Amino acid sequence: MHVVIVGNGIAGVTAARHVRKASAGARVTMVSDETLEPFARTALMYIYMGALTLAHTQMYEERFWAENRIDRVQDRALSLDPARQRLALRDGGEMPYDRLLLATGSRPAIPPWPGASLPGVQGLYHLSDVERMERDTRGIRSAVVVGGGLIGVELAEMLGTRGVAVTFLVREARYLPRVFSEAESALVAAEVRRHGVDLRLGAEVARVEGDERARAVVTADGERWAAGFVGVGTGVRPHVDWLGGAVETGRGVLVDRQLRASAPNVWAAGDCAELRDPPAGVRPVEPIWYTARLQGATAGLGLAGRVRDYAPGVYFNSAKFFDLEWQVYGATAGDGDDWERADGARSLRIHHHDGAVTGVSALGVRLRQDVCSRWIAEGWPLDRALADLGAARFDPELTAPLLA
C-alpha cells in the first residue's frame, strides 16, 4: 500500500509517523514544494530575528526519515485525479497512490486593497515569506503592519528587532474584541505599545501607495503612514485552489468526522481541512498548530486502516504578545458570564454558563492544561474551579501569584 501525503507541515509529518507506527509494511511518501526537510513553522519569526537558523527548526534529524522509511519528495502538486488515483507533480510526472492525505496548509489572506500586489506587501506563513521579508525590509526605516491577530504581533516584533519604526493598524476599536475582554484588550495593547510600536485602533486601510514597491498606507479617514514595507496579518485561507473540482471544497477540503474527503481513499487534515459536521464546540476550520497535529494523528491512523473519529477534546491554544504569554482553553466568549481578575500586568478570566465553567483565558499567568481542561470537560461550577486554582497554577519560580 502506497500512502502519499501532500504537505510536510505538522499535520503531514504527524500523519506520516502514525501511518508508520500502525503499518510496518506501508510505503509512505511526503511531497512538499517548500523544503525537503520539515521544519517548525511557528519558529519562522525567530529565523528573521536571528535567534534561530532554519536548521535549528528542523523537526527531526536526517537519520529519522531513513530509520522510519518515510520518503520525501520536493516537488509541487499541480492537480489530483481521484478516479485514477494519481497526483500530478510539476517536475516528477504522475505519482500513483493507494491512499492520499491532503495537508497543504494555508496561505496569507491579503485584502483586495488598491496597491496590495506591490512588492513589499506580504503576509507571514511560508519560509518564502521570511525570505521575501528579509529582502524587502533591508535598509527601510518605517513599516506598517495591518491586522490585529497573532501574525500581526509577530510581524511587529520581527521588524522591531531590525530597528524599524512600526505603525500597527487595527480595524477594531479595541484589540481582538471577539477574543478578549476589555481588560484583556487593554493589557495586550499596553504590551504592544511598551515595545515601541505605534498601535492605532479603529484604523481601516483604504489603499497602499507606491511605485515599484510599497511606499505608504492610507486609511479610510485620510491618514497616510510612510511604509517601506507592509506586513499583513488579516488571516489565512486554506490552500485548496490547486485541487479544482477533484474533491468537494468549501473554505477548505470538506471532510467527515474521520477526516475523509468526498473522493475515495482521500483524507485531509490541518489548515486545509474543513469539517462538514463538527462536534459541538469545535470550529469547522481551525488554523492552529495544536489542531493540525491532532488531525494529522487521526488521519494517519485512518490512512493505515484504523479509521476513527476526530476527537479534539477541550480547545487549547497558546501564544505570546511580545513578552506577554497567553493561554486559552475552551469557549471564552458567547453566552454566559466572566469571573475576571487583573493587576495591571496580568489577568485571569474564567467564562461560565448555566453554572459550569466553559473557558479560561490567562495573560501573563501560566496554568496547567490538564487542570483547566478538566474543569471544562467535567463542567465544574465556578466556585469549585476557584477553589482549585492552586492546582492550576504553573507560574515560574519566584513569580508572585495573581491571586493569593
Side-chain angles (χ1 to χ4, degrees):
M1 177 178 69
H2 187 197
V3 175
V4 175
I5 298 168
V6 186
N8 68 353
I10 187 61
V13 170
T14 303
R17 290 177 51 242
H18 279 75
V19 171
R20 176 54 67 231
K21 287 180 180 180
S23 177
R27 177 187 171 196
V28 182
T29 303
M30 287 196 309
V31 179
S32 173
D33 71 335
E34 188 170 25
T35 59
L36 186 65
E37 189 70 32
F39 65 93
R41 194 173 303 282
T42 53
L44 281 176
M45 65 182 291
Y46 300 108
I47 296 175
Y48 179 89
M49 293 164 66
L52 298 174
T53 66
L54 180 60
H56 291 143
T57 71
Q58 291 174 354
M59 295 185 191
Y60 298 99
E61 296 179 0
E62 183 65 28
R63 62 183 177 83
F64 170 87
W65 308 106
E67 290 174 356
N68 288 276
R69 293 175 291 114
I70 298 173
D71 298 326
R72 292 164 297 154
V73 174
Q74 188 166 3
D75 206 340
R76 175 172 294 182
L78 299 178
S79 63
L80 170 64
D81 184 345
R84 298 173 54 239
Q85 297 199 171
R86 296 288 189 275
L87 189 69
L89 303 178
R90 178 189 57 198
D91 303 322
E94 286 192 335
M95 178 176 288
Y97 65 84
D98 295 302
R99 292 173 183 169
L100 174 71
L101 174 65
L102 304 172
T104 49
S106 293
R107 288 183 170 181
I110 308 296
W113 307 311
S117 61
L118 284 166
V121 181
Q122 66 164 84
L124 177 65
Y125 187 92
H126 297 95
L127 179 62
S128 60
D129 294 327
V130 176
E131 294 168 345
R132 284 195 297 144
M133 189 172 175
E134 182 70 46
R135 179 195 69 208
D136 290 343
T137 59
R138 193 170 294 122
I140 69 169
R141 296 183 178 180
S142 61
V144 168
V145 173
V146 184
L150 297 173
I151 296 298
V153 173
E154 289 185 0
L155 287 163
E157 184 173 357
M158 292 162 69
L159 291 161
T161 64
R162 302 291 180 95
V164 177
V166 179
T167 301
F168 192 2
L169 304 181
V170 176
R171 181 175 57 186
E172 291 80 12
R174 63 179 178 86
Y175 201 90
L176 287 180
R178 288 173 291 183
V179 174
F180 288 144
S181 68
E182 291 189 11
E184 289 170 325
S185 293
L187 192 59
V188 172
E191 177 71 6
V192 171
R193 289 174 173 138
R194 187 174 73 84
H195 284 82
V197 175
D198 184 11
L199 174 62
R200 300 284 174 152
L201 299 170
E204 179 79 40
V205 172
R207 65 183 183 276
V208 179
E209 293 183 343
D211 34 56
E212 75 282 0
R213 59 169 297 153
R215 300 294 182 188
V217 173
V218 179
T219 58
D221 59 6
E223 288 195 271
R224 186 177 186 275
W225 306 95
F229 176 83
V230 181
V232 184
T234 53
V236 296
R237 56 182 176 83
H239 179 32
V240 297
D241 299 349
W242 66 280
L243 290 166
V247 293
E248 190 176 350
T249 60
R251 288 175 57 200
V253 177
L254 289 167
V255 294
D256 62 17
R257 291 195 183 183
Q258 293 80 44
L259 304 182
R260 294 177 298 194
S262 58
N265 300 314
V266 179
W267 281 253
D271 292 12
C272 75
E274 178 181 356
L275 291 167
R276 290 178 183 271
D277 179 29
V282 176
R283 300 167 177 86
V285 178
E286 187 59 76
I288 62 172
W289 187 90
Y290 301 101
T291 299
R293 183 181 64 174
L294 185 55
Q295 289 191 357
T298 302
L301 291 171
L303 291 161
R306 300 184 183 180
V307 176
R308 62 188 63 189
D309 281 0
Y310 168 57
V314 174
Y315 173 83
F316 166 68
N317 196 13
S318 65
K320 283 184 68 177
F321 299 90
F322 288 90
D323 296 329
L324 186 64
E325 297 180 359
W326 178 48
Q327 292 175 274
V328 59
Y329 302 89
T332 59
D335 293 338
D337 298 293
D338 286 329
W339 176 95
E340 187 170 19
R341 295 293 184 272
D343 65 3
R346 301 168 297 173
S347 71
L348 175 62
R349 181 167 58 90
I350 301 177
H351 194 71
H352 55 101
H353 179 56
D354 287 343
V357 171
T358 64
V360 180
S361 177
L363 283 163
V365 178
R366 291 185 184 175
L367 302 173
R368 296 184 187 277
Q369 181 178 359
D370 60 338
V371 175
C372 294
S373 296
R374 184 167 62 248
W375 296 349
I376 297 164
E378 297 178 2
W380 282 30
L382 175 64
D383 288 349
R384 186 183 176 192
L386 292 176
D388 198 44
L389 276 175
R393 292 192 189 116
F394 191 52
D395 283 316
E397 188 178 8
L398 305 180
T399 299
L402 179 61
L403 298 170

